[in-house]
Amino acid sequence: FAWSDPFLFGMVDRHRFRVERAGNGATTFVQTDRVKGVATPLFGGIAARRLKRMYERFNLQLKNQVENPREPR
């Protein structure tokens, strides 16, 4: 699953999610993002650090929900 979005200062990001078999019934969730555009040399590092923190929080929350599902209400 992937998409591209306009981003800060004319940059565009290409975000991808992949779900892969990891063996023994396990699954690996892979998330990548590539930011391109004229402003990337100036602001790409800042954007990458911010996105990385957001994705790390998202990944941890996803892992917790998958490994510890709640009972339906």
Side-chain angles (χ1 to χ4, degrees):
F1 177 71
W3 70 91
S4 292
D5 276 327
F7 202 55
L8 299 171
F9 308 108
M11 294 184 290
V12 176
D13 75 323
R14 172 82 171 152
H15 197 90
R16 292 182 182 194
F17 292 131
R18 284 191 331 266
V19 178
E20 301 173 347
R21 287 187 180 160
N24 296 329
T27 303
T28 299
F29 177 76
V30 180
Q31 169 168 215
T32 61
D33 203 339
R34 177 171 290 173
V35 179
K36 293 183 179 181
V38 175
T40 302
L42 295 173
F43 300 106
I46 295 167
R49 287 188 295 276
R50 187 171 189 185
L51 290 170
K52 184 175 187 259
R53 286 192 303 266
M54 289 179 357
Y55 298 153
E56 287 171 345
R57 283 193 306 267
F58 174 85
N59 291 345
L60 183 59
Q61 291 172 354
L62 177 63
K63 178 179 173 38
N64 287 336
Q65 286 185 2
V66 169
E67 292 180 352
N68 305 298
R70 290 184 259 165
E71 292 293 321
R73 294 179 188 196

Coordinates of all heavy atoms in Angstrom, one line a residue:
F1 N 0.8 -1.1 0.0 CA 0.0 0.0 0.0 C 0.9 1.2 0.0 O 1.8 1.3 0.8 CB -0.9 -0.1 1.2 CG -1.8 1.1 1.4 CD1 -2.9 1.3 0.6 CD2 -1.6 2.0 2.4 CE1 -3.7 2.4 0.7 CE2 -2.4 3.1 2.6 CZ -3.5 3.3 1.7
A2 N 0.7 2.2 -0.9 CA 1.5 3.4 -1.0 C 0.8 4.6 -1.4 O -0.3 4.4 -2.1 CB 2.7 3.1 -1.9
W3 N 1.3 5.8 -1.1 CA 0.7 7.0 -1.6 C 1.7 8.1 -1.6 O 2.8 8.0 -0.9 CB -0.5 7.4 -0.7 CG -0.2 7.9 0.6 CD1 0.1 9.2 1.0 CD2 -0.1 7.1 1.8 NE1 0.3 9.2 2.4 CE2 0.2 7.9 2.9 CE3 -0.3 5.7 2.1 CZ2 0.4 7.5 4.2 CZ3 -0.1 5.3 3.4 CH2 0.2 6.1 4.4
S4 N 1.5 9.2 -2.3 CA 2.3 10.3 -2.3 C 1.5 11.5 -1.9 O 0.3 11.6 -2.2 CB 2.9 10.6 -3.7 OG 3.8 9.6 -4.0
D5 N 2.1 12.4 -1.1 CA 1.4 13.6 -0.7 C 2.3 14.8 -0.8 O 3.5 14.8 -0.6 CB 1.1 13.5 0.8 CG -0.2 12.8 1.1 OD1 -1.1 12.8 0.3 OD2 -0.2 12.1 2.2
P6 N 1.7 16.0 -1.1 CA 2.4 17.2 -1.1 C 2.8 17.4 0.4 O 2.1 17.1 1.3 CB 1.5 18.3 -1.5 CG 0.3 17.6 -2.1 CD 0.3 16.2 -1.6
F7 N 4.0 18.0 0.6 CA 4.5 18.2 1.9 C 5.0 19.6 2.1 O 4.7 20.5 1.3 CB 5.7 17.1 2.1 CG 6.0 16.8 3.5 CD1 5.1 16.3 4.3 CD2 7.3 16.9 3.9 CE1 5.4 15.9 5.6 CE2 7.7 16.6 5.2 CZ 6.7 16.0 6.0
L8 N 5.8 19.9 3.1 CA 6.2 21.2 3.3 C 7.1 21.8 2.2 O 7.9 21.1 1.6 CB 7.1 21.2 4.6 CG 6.4 20.8 5.9 CD1 7.4 20.6 7.0 CD2 5.3 21.8 6.3
F9 N 7.0 23.1 1.9 CA 7.8 23.8 1.0 C 8.0 23.1 -0.3 O 9.1 23.1 -0.9 CB 9.2 24.0 1.6 CG 9.2 24.6 3.0 CD1 9.4 23.9 4.1 CD2 8.8 26.0 3.2 CE1 9.4 24.4 5.4 CE2 8.7 26.5 4.4 CZ 9.0 25.8 5.6
G10 N 6.9 22.6 -0.9 CA 6.9 22.0 -2.2 C 7.5 20.6 -2.3 O 7.7 20.0 -3.3
M11 N 7.9 20.0 -1.1 CA 8.4 18.6 -1.1 C 7.2 17.7 -1.3 O 6.1 18.0 -0.9 CB 9.2 18.4 0.2 CG 10.4 19.2 0.3 SD 11.4 18.7 1.8 CE 10.4 19.4 3.1
V12 N 7.5 16.5 -1.8 CA 6.5 15.4 -1.9 C 7.0 14.2 -1.2 O 8.2 13.8 -1.4 CB 6.2 15.2 -3.4 CG1 5.2 14.0 -3.5 CG2 5.6 16.4 -4.0
D13 N 6.2 13.5 -0.4 CA 6.7 12.3 0.2 C 6.0 11.1 -0.5 O 4.9 11.2 -0.9 CB 6.5 12.3 1.7 CG 5.1 12.1 2.2 OD1 4.2 12.6 1.5 OD2 4.9 11.4 3.2
R14 N 6.7 10.0 -0.5 CA 6.2 8.7 -1.1 C 6.2 7.7 0.1 O 7.3 7.3 0.5 CB 7.1 8.3 -2.2 CG 6.8 6.9 -2.7 CD 5.6 6.9 -3.7 NE 5.4 5.6 -4.3 CZ 4.3 5.2 -4.7 NH1 3.2 5.9 -4.6 NH2 4.2 4.0 -5.3
H15 N 5.1 7.4 0.6 CA 5.0 6.6 1.8 C 4.5 5.2 1.4 O 3.6 5.1 0.7 CB 4.0 7.2 2.8 CG 4.1 6.7 4.2 ND1 5.0 7.2 5.1 CD2 3.6 5.6 4.8 CE1 4.9 6.5 6.2 NE2 4.1 5.5 6.0
R16 N 5.1 4.2 2.0 CA 4.8 2.8 1.7 C 4.6 2.0 3.0 O 5.4 2.1 3.9 CB 5.8 2.1 0.8 CG 5.9 2.7 -0.5 CD 6.9 1.9 -1.3 NE 7.0 2.5 -2.6 CZ 7.6 1.9 -3.6 NH1 8.2 0.7 -3.5 NH2 7.7 2.5 -4.8
F17 N 3.6 1.1 3.0 CA 3.5 0.1 4.0 C 3.6 -1.3 3.3 O 3.0 -1.5 2.3 CB 2.1 0.1 4.7 CG 1.8 1.4 5.5 CD1 0.6 2.1 5.3 CD2 2.7 1.8 6.5 CE1 0.3 3.2 6.1 CE2 2.4 2.9 7.3 CZ 1.2 3.6 7.1
R18 N 4.3 -2.2 4.0 CA 4.3 -3.6 3.5 C 4.1 -4.5 4.7 O 4.7 -4.2 5.8 CB 5.6 -3.9 2.8 CG 5.8 -3.4 1.4 CD 7.0 -4.0 0.7 NE 8.1 -4.4 1.5 CZ 9.2 -3.7 1.8 NH1 9.3 -2.4 1.4 NH2 10.2 -4.1 2.5
V19 N 3.4 -5.6 4.5 CA 3.3 -6.6 5.5 C 3.9 -7.9 4.9 O 3.5 -8.3 3.8 CB 1.8 -6.9 5.9 CG1 1.7 -8.0 6.9 CG2 1.2 -5.6 6.4
E20 N 4.9 -8.4 5.6 CA 5.7 -9.6 5.1 C 5.6 -10.7 6.1 O 5.6 -10.5 7.3 CB 7.1 -9.2 4.9 CG 7.3 -8.0 3.9 CD 8.8 -7.6 3.9 OE1 9.6 -8.0 4.7 OE2 9.1 -6.8 2.9
R21 N 5.6 -11.9 5.5 CA 5.7 -13.1 6.4 C 7.1 -13.2 6.9 O 8.1 -13.0 6.2 CB 5.4 -14.4 5.5 CG 4.0 -14.6 5.2 CD 3.8 -15.9 4.6 NE 2.4 -16.0 4.3 CZ 1.8 -16.8 3.4 NH1 2.6 -17.6 2.7 NH2 0.5 -16.8 3.2
A22 N 7.2 -13.5 8.2 CA 8.5 -13.6 8.9 C 8.8 -15.0 9.3 O 9.9 -15.3 9.9 CB 8.6 -12.6 10.1
G23 N 7.9 -16.0 9.0 CA 8.1 -17.4 9.4 C 7.6 -17.6 10.8 O 7.4 -16.7 11.6
N24 N 7.3 -18.9 11.0 CA 6.7 -19.3 12.3 C 5.5 -18.6 12.7 O 5.2 -18.3 13.9 CB 7.8 -19.2 13.5 CG 8.9 -20.1 13.2 OD1 8.8 -21.2 12.7 ND2 10.1 -19.7 13.7
G25 N 4.7 -18.2 11.7 CA 3.4 -17.5 12.0 C 3.6 -16.0 12.3 O 2.6 -15.4 12.6
A26 N 4.8 -15.5 12.3 CA 5.0 -14.1 12.6 C 4.9 -13.2 11.3 O 5.0 -13.7 10.2 CB 6.4 -13.9 13.2
T27 N 4.7 -12.0 11.5 CA 4.5 -11.0 10.5 C 5.4 -9.8 10.7 O 5.6 -9.4 11.9 CB 3.1 -10.5 10.3 OG1 2.2 -11.7 10.1 CG2 2.9 -9.6 9.2
T28 N 6.0 -9.3 9.7 CA 6.8 -8.1 9.8 C 6.1 -6.9 9.1 O 5.7 -7.1 7.9 CB 8.2 -8.3 9.2 OG1 8.9 -9.3 9.9 CG2 9.1 -7.0 9.3
F29 N 6.0 -5.8 9.7 CA 5.4 -4.6 9.2 C 6.5 -3.7 8.8 O 7.4 -3.3 9.6 CB 4.5 -3.9 10.2 CG 3.9 -2.7 9.7 CD1 2.8 -2.7 8.8 CD2 4.4 -1.4 10.2 CE1 2.3 -1.5 8.4 CE2 3.8 -0.3 9.8 CZ 2.7 -0.3 8.9
V30 N 6.6 -3.3 7.5 CA 7.7 -2.5 7.0 C 7.1 -1.2 6.5 O 6.1 -1.2 5.7 CB 8.4 -3.2 5.8 CG1 9.6 -2.3 5.3 CG2 9.0 -4.5 6.3
Q31 N 7.6 -0.1 6.9 CA 7.1 1.3 6.5 C 8.3 2.1 6.0 O 9.4 2.2 6.7 CB 6.5 1.9 7.8 CG 6.2 3.3 7.8 CD 5.4 3.7 9.0 OE1 4.5 4.5 8.7 NE2 5.5 3.2 10.2
T32 N 8.2 2.7 4.8 CA 9.2 3.5 4.3 C 8.6 4.8 3.8 O 7.4 4.9 3.5 CB 10.0 2.8 3.1 OG1 9.0 2.6 2.0 CG2 10.6 1.5 3.5
D33 N 9.5 5.8 3.7 CA 9.0 7.1 3.2 C 10.2 7.8 2.5 O 11.3 7.8 3.0 CB 8.6 8.0 4.4 CG 7.6 9.1 3.9 OD1 7.6 9.4 2.7 OD2 6.9 9.6 4.8
R34 N 10.0 8.3 1.4 CA 11.0 9.1 0.6 C 10.5 10.5 0.3 O 9.4 10.6 -0.2 CB 11.3 8.4 -0.7 CG 12.4 9.1 -1.5 CD 12.8 8.3 -2.6 NE 13.7 7.3 -2.1 CZ 14.2 6.3 -2.8 NH1 13.9 6.2 -4.1 NH2 14.9 5.4 -2.2
V35 N 11.2 11.5 0.7 CA 10.8 12.8 0.5 C 11.7 13.4 -0.6 O 12.9 13.3 -0.6 CB 11.0 13.7 1.8 CG1 10.6 15.1 1.5 CG2 10.2 13.1 2.9
K36 N 11.0 14.0 -1.6 CA 11.7 14.6 -2.8 C 11.2 16.0 -3.0 O 10.1 16.4 -2.6 CB 11.5 13.8 -4.0 CG 12.1 12.5 -4.0 CD 11.8 11.8 -5.4 CE 12.4 10.4 -5.4 NZ 12.2 9.8 -6.7
G37 N 12.0 16.8 -3.7 CA 11.6 18.2 -4.0 C 12.7 19.2 -3.9 O 13.8 18.9 -3.3
V38 N 12.5 20.4 -4.4 CA 13.5 21.4 -4.4 C 14.0 21.7 -3.0 O 15.2 22.0 -2.8 CB 13.0 22.7 -5.1 CG1 14.0 23.8 -5.1 CG2 12.6 22.3 -6.6
A39 N 13.1 21.8 -2.0 CA 13.5 22.2 -0.7 C 14.1 21.0 0.1 O 14.5 21.2 1.3 CB 12.3 22.7 0.0
T40 N 14.2 19.8 -0.4 CA 14.7 18.7 0.3 C 16.1 18.9 0.9 O 16.3 18.6 2.1 CB 14.7 17.4 -0.5 OG1 13.3 17.2 -0.9 CG2 15.1 16.2 0.3
P41 N 17.1 19.5 0.2 CA 18.4 19.7 0.8 C 18.3 20.6 2.0 O 19.1 20.5 2.9 CB 19.2 20.4 -0.4 CG 18.5 19.9 -1.6 CD 17.1 19.8 -1.3
L42 N 17.4 21.6 2.0 CA 17.3 22.5 3.1 C 16.5 21.9 4.3 O 16.8 22.1 5.5 CB 16.7 23.8 2.7 CG 17.5 24.6 1.7 CD1 16.7 25.8 1.2 CD2 18.8 25.1 2.3
F43 N 15.4 21.3 4.0 CA 14.4 20.9 5.0 C 14.2 19.4 5.1 O 13.5 18.9 6.0 CB 13.1 21.6 4.8 CG 13.2 23.1 4.8 CD1 13.1 23.8 3.6 CD2 13.3 23.8 6.0 CE1 13.1 25.2 3.6 CE2 13.4 25.1 6.0 CZ 13.3 25.9 4.8
G44 N 14.8 18.6 4.3 CA 14.6 17.2 4.3 C 15.0 16.5 5.6 O 14.4 15.6 6.0
G45 N 16.2 16.9 6.1 CA 16.6 16.3 7.4 C 15.7 16.6 8.5 O 15.4 15.7 9.3
I46 N 15.2 17.8 8.6 CA 14.2 18.1 9.7 C 12.9 17.3 9.5 O 12.4 16.7 10.4 CB 13.9 19.7 9.6 CG1 15.1 20.5 9.9 CG2 12.7 20.0 10.5 CD1 15.0 21.9 9.6
A47 N 12.4 17.2 8.2 CA 11.2 16.5 8.0 C 11.5 15.0 8.3 O 10.6 14.3 8.9 CB 10.8 16.6 6.5
A48 N 12.6 14.5 7.9 CA 12.9 13.0 8.2 C 12.9 12.7 9.6 O 12.4 11.7 10.1 CB 14.2 12.7 7.5
R49 N 13.5 13.6 10.4 CA 13.6 13.3 11.9 C 12.2 13.4 12.5 O 11.8 12.5 13.3 CB 14.5 14.3 12.6 CG 15.9 14.1 12.3 CD 16.8 14.9 13.2 NE 16.7 16.4 12.9 CZ 17.4 17.0 11.9 NH1 18.2 16.3 11.1 NH2 17.2 18.3 11.7
R50 N 11.4 14.3 12.1 CA 10.0 14.4 12.6 C 9.2 13.2 12.2 O 8.4 12.7 13.0 CB 9.4 15.7 12.1 CG 8.1 16.0 12.7 CD 7.6 17.4 12.3 NE 6.5 17.8 13.1 CZ 5.8 18.9 13.0 NH1 6.2 19.8 12.1 NH2 4.7 19.1 13.7
L51 N 9.2 12.9 10.9 CA 8.5 11.7 10.4 C 8.9 10.4 11.1 O 8.1 9.6 11.5 CB 8.6 11.6 8.9 CG 8.0 12.6 8.0 CD1 8.4 12.5 6.6 CD2 6.5 12.6 8.2
K52 N 10.2 10.3 11.3 CA 10.7 9.1 12.0 C 10.1 8.9 13.4 O 9.7 7.8 13.8 CB 12.2 9.1 12.1 CG 12.8 7.9 12.6 CD 14.4 7.9 12.6 CE 14.9 6.6 13.0 NZ 15.4 6.6 14.4
R53 N 10.1 10.0 14.1 CA 9.5 9.9 15.5 C 8.0 9.6 15.4 O 7.5 8.7 16.2 CB 9.6 11.3 16.2 CG 11.0 11.5 16.7 CD 11.1 12.7 17.6 NE 10.6 14.0 17.1 CZ 11.3 14.9 16.5 NH1 12.6 14.7 16.3 NH2 10.7 16.0 16.0
M54 N 7.3 10.1 14.4 CA 5.8 9.8 14.3 C 5.7 8.3 13.9 O 4.8 7.7 14.5 CB 5.2 10.7 13.2 CG 5.0 12.1 13.6 SD 4.3 13.3 12.4 CE 4.1 12.4 10.9
Y55 N 6.5 7.9 13.0 CA 6.4 6.5 12.5 C 6.7 5.5 13.6 O 6.1 4.4 13.8 CB 7.2 6.2 11.3 CG 6.8 7.0 10.1 CD1 7.7 7.4 9.1 CD2 5.5 7.5 9.9 CE1 7.4 8.1 8.0 CE2 5.1 8.3 8.9 CZ 6.1 8.6 7.9 OH 5.7 9.3 6.8
E56 N 7.7 5.8 14.4 CA 8.1 5.0 15.5 C 7.0 4.8 16.6 O 6.7 3.7 17.0 CB 9.4 5.5 16.2 CG 10.6 5.2 15.4 CD 11.9 5.9 15.9 OE1 11.7 6.8 16.8 OE2 13.0 5.5 15.4
R57 N 6.3 5.9 16.9 CA 5.1 5.9 17.8 C 4.0 5.1 17.2 O 3.4 4.2 17.8 CB 4.6 7.3 18.1 CG 5.5 8.0 19.1 CD 4.8 9.3 19.6 NE 4.3 10.2 18.6 CZ 5.0 11.2 18.1 NH1 6.2 11.5 18.6 NH2 4.5 12.0 17.2
F58 N 3.7 5.3 15.9 CA 2.7 4.5 15.2 C 3.0 3.0 15.2 O 2.2 2.2 15.5 CB 2.6 5.0 13.7 CG 1.6 4.2 12.9 CD1 0.3 4.5 12.9 CD2 2.1 3.1 12.1 CE1 -0.6 3.7 12.1 CE2 1.2 2.4 11.4 CZ -0.1 2.6 11.4
N59 N 4.3 2.7 14.9 CA 4.7 1.3 14.8 C 4.5 0.6 16.2 O 4.0 -0.5 16.3 CB 6.1 1.1 14.4 CG 6.3 1.5 12.9 OD1 5.3 1.6 12.2 ND2 7.5 1.7 12.5
L60 N 4.9 1.3 17.3 CA 4.8 0.8 18.6 C 3.3 0.6 19.0 O 2.9 -0.5 19.5 CB 5.4 1.7 19.6 CG 5.5 1.2 21.1 CD1 6.1 -0.2 21.2 CD2 6.1 2.2 22.0
Q61 N 2.4 1.5 18.7 CA 1.0 1.4 18.9 C 0.4 0.3 18.1 O -0.4 -0.5 18.7 CB 0.3 2.7 18.7 CG 0.6 3.8 19.6 CD 0.1 5.2 19.2 OE1 -0.5 5.3 18.2 NE2 0.2 6.1 20.1
L62 N 0.8 0.1 16.9 CA 0.3 -1.0 16.0 C 0.7 -2.3 16.6 O -0.1 -3.2 16.8 CB 0.8 -0.8 14.6 CG 0.4 -1.9 13.7 CD1 -1.1 -2.0 13.5 CD2 1.1 -1.7 12.3
K63 N 2.0 -2.4 17.0 CA 2.5 -3.7 17.6 C 1.7 -4.0 18.8 O 1.3 -5.2 19.0 CB 4.0 -3.5 17.9 CG 4.6 -4.7 18.5 CD 6.1 -4.4 18.8 CE 6.9 -5.4 19.6 NZ 6.7 -6.7 19.4
N64 N 1.5 -3.1 19.7 CA 0.8 -3.3 21.0 C -0.7 -3.8 20.7 O -1.2 -4.7 21.3 CB 0.8 -2.1 21.8 CG 2.1 -1.8 22.5 OD1 2.9 -2.7 22.6 ND2 2.4 -0.6 22.8
Q65 N -1.3 -3.2 19.7 CA -2.7 -3.5 19.4 C -2.8 -4.9 18.8 O -3.7 -5.7 19.1 CB -3.3 -2.5 18.5 CG -3.7 -1.2 19.2 CD -4.4 -0.3 18.3 OE1 -4.7 -0.6 17.1 NE2 -4.8 0.9 18.8
V66 N -1.8 -5.3 17.9 CA -1.8 -6.6 17.3 C -1.5 -7.7 18.3 O -2.1 -8.7 18.3 CB -0.8 -6.6 16.1 CG1 -0.6 -8.0 15.6 CG2 -1.3 -5.7 15.0
E67 N -0.5 -7.4 19.2 CA -0.1 -8.5 20.1 C -1.0 -8.5 21.3 O -0.9 -9.6 22.0 CB 1.4 -8.2 20.5 CG 2.3 -8.4 19.4 CD 3.8 -8.1 19.7 OE1 4.1 -7.6 20.8 OE2 4.6 -8.4 18.9
N68 N -1.7 -7.5 21.6 CA -2.6 -7.5 22.8 C -4.0 -7.0 22.4 O -4.4 -5.9 22.9 CB -2.0 -6.6 23.9 CG -0.6 -7.0 24.2 OD1 -0.3 -8.1 24.7 ND2 0.4 -6.1 23.9
P69 N -4.7 -7.8 21.6 CA -6.0 -7.3 21.2 C -7.0 -7.2 22.4 O -6.9 -8.0 23.3 CB -6.5 -8.3 20.2 CG -5.7 -9.6 20.5 CD -4.4 -9.1 21.1
R70 N -7.8 -6.2 22.3 CA -8.8 -6.0 23.4 C -10.1 -6.7 23.0 O -10.4 -6.9 21.8 CB -9.2 -4.5 23.5 CG -8.0 -3.7 24.2 CD -8.4 -2.3 24.4 NE -7.9 -1.5 23.3 CZ -8.2 -0.3 23.0 NH1 -9.2 0.3 23.7 NH2 -7.6 0.3 22.0
E71 N -10.8 -7.2 24.0 CA -12.1 -7.8 23.7 C -13.1 -6.8 23.1 O -13.1 -5.7 23.6 CB -12.7 -8.4 25.1 CG -11.8 -9.5 25.6 CD -11.9 -10.8 24.8 OE1 -13.0 -11.1 24.2 OE2 -10.9 -11.4 24.6
P72 N -13.9 -7.2 22.2 CA -14.9 -6.3 21.7 C -15.9 -5.9 22.8 O -16.2 -6.7 23.7 CB -15.7 -7.1 20.6 CG -15.0 -8.4 20.5 CD -14.0 -8.5 21.6
R73 N -16.3 -4.7 22.7 CA -17.3 -4.2 23.7 C -18.7 -4.5 23.4 O -19.1 -4.5 22.3 CB -17.1 -2.7 23.9 CG -15.7 -2.4 24.4 CD -15.5 -0.9 24.6 NE -14.1 -0.6 24.9 CZ -13.7 0.5 25.4 NH1 -14.5 1.5 25.5 NH2 -12.4 0.6 25.7

